[in-house]
Amino acid sequence: MYRKSRILLASFVGASTIGLGCLCIAAPPKKKTHPAPDAGRVSYYHQIRPILIAKCLPCHSAANHAGLLDVTSYAALLKGGAHGPAFVKGKPAKSLLVGYLHGKPMLMPKGGPPLPKEQIALIEKWIAQGAVDDTPKPHSKASPKESHR
Ligand code: HEC
């Protein structure tokens, strides 16, 4: 005879609470140092030209060059207007453009309001840094060795 042995499955539910230590490791924010070597260098193409185009274009484009000045390109600025080149490299104080922005001999944009101080300062800084032309060449042969200096 087979004795049926009843196996009682006693399931012990061990309610073991494992206190998982909250490892709240706050990763310190990595300080990103700007890799740009040209930090602080004002870009004609990316910073100056947009200002001039936004503020001076109605009167100083190739189509309508008041004072014979066209501000839409570096070459045109360098050529300048009735009174000569709009800027003197490295010398903001001697640059016509800067004088006019300060109202000497007359205020530009004509009829005001004057440009915000920061924009005038930026233009002065660009000229002080040598008024570098960093306009991308339209037909450049993708030269990898593009220098911004
Ligand atoms: C509403 C029209 C108008 C706007 C906008 C304007 N200008 Fe002029 N600008 C003139 C006129 C007109 C003259 C010629 C004034 C004169 O010599 O009698 C002039 C002359 C100049 C000259 C002198 C050029 C020369 O060689 O005689 C400079 C520099 C100049 N503007 C810069 C600017 C700049 C920079 C801006 C934008 C921030 C600007 N202007 C916006 C109308 C304008």
Side-chain angles (χ1 to χ4, degrees), residues 51-60 64-69 71 77 79-86 95-101 105-115 119 123:
I51 297 174
L52 298 181
I53 287 191
K55 304 288 172 69
C56 327
L57 204 58
C59 308
H60 293 287
N64 177 16
H65 39 120
L68 298 177
L69 179 67
V71 301
L77 273 181
K79 184 164 156 272
H83 294 88
S95 297
L96 207 62
L97 180 68
V98 173
Y100 275 81
L101 292 176
M106 63 165 64
L107 182 68
M108 289 293 151
K110 198 178 162 134
L115 295 191
Q119 292 190 347
I123 291 169

Side-chain angles (χ1 to χ4, degrees), residues 87-98:
F87 59 83
V88 181
K89 289 179 185 180
K91 297 195 168 64
K94 290 199 172 172
S95 297
L96 207 62
L97 180 68
V98 173

Side-chain angles (χ1 to χ4, degrees), residues 5-21:
S5 59
R6 268 183 269 158
I7 303 161
L8 287 171
L9 289 171
S11 55
F12 291 96
V13 181
S16 59
T17 41
I18 302 165
L20 278 174

Side-chain angles (χ1 to χ4, degrees), residues 8 18 24 34-35 44 46 50 62-64 70 73-74 79-80 93 112 124 139 145:
L8 287 171
I18 302 165
C24 298
H34 268 286
Y44 161 72
H46 297 287
N64 177 16
D70 168 8
S73 74
Y74 183 90
K79 184 164 156 272
E124 288 173 343
H139 296 298
K145 207 182 145 198

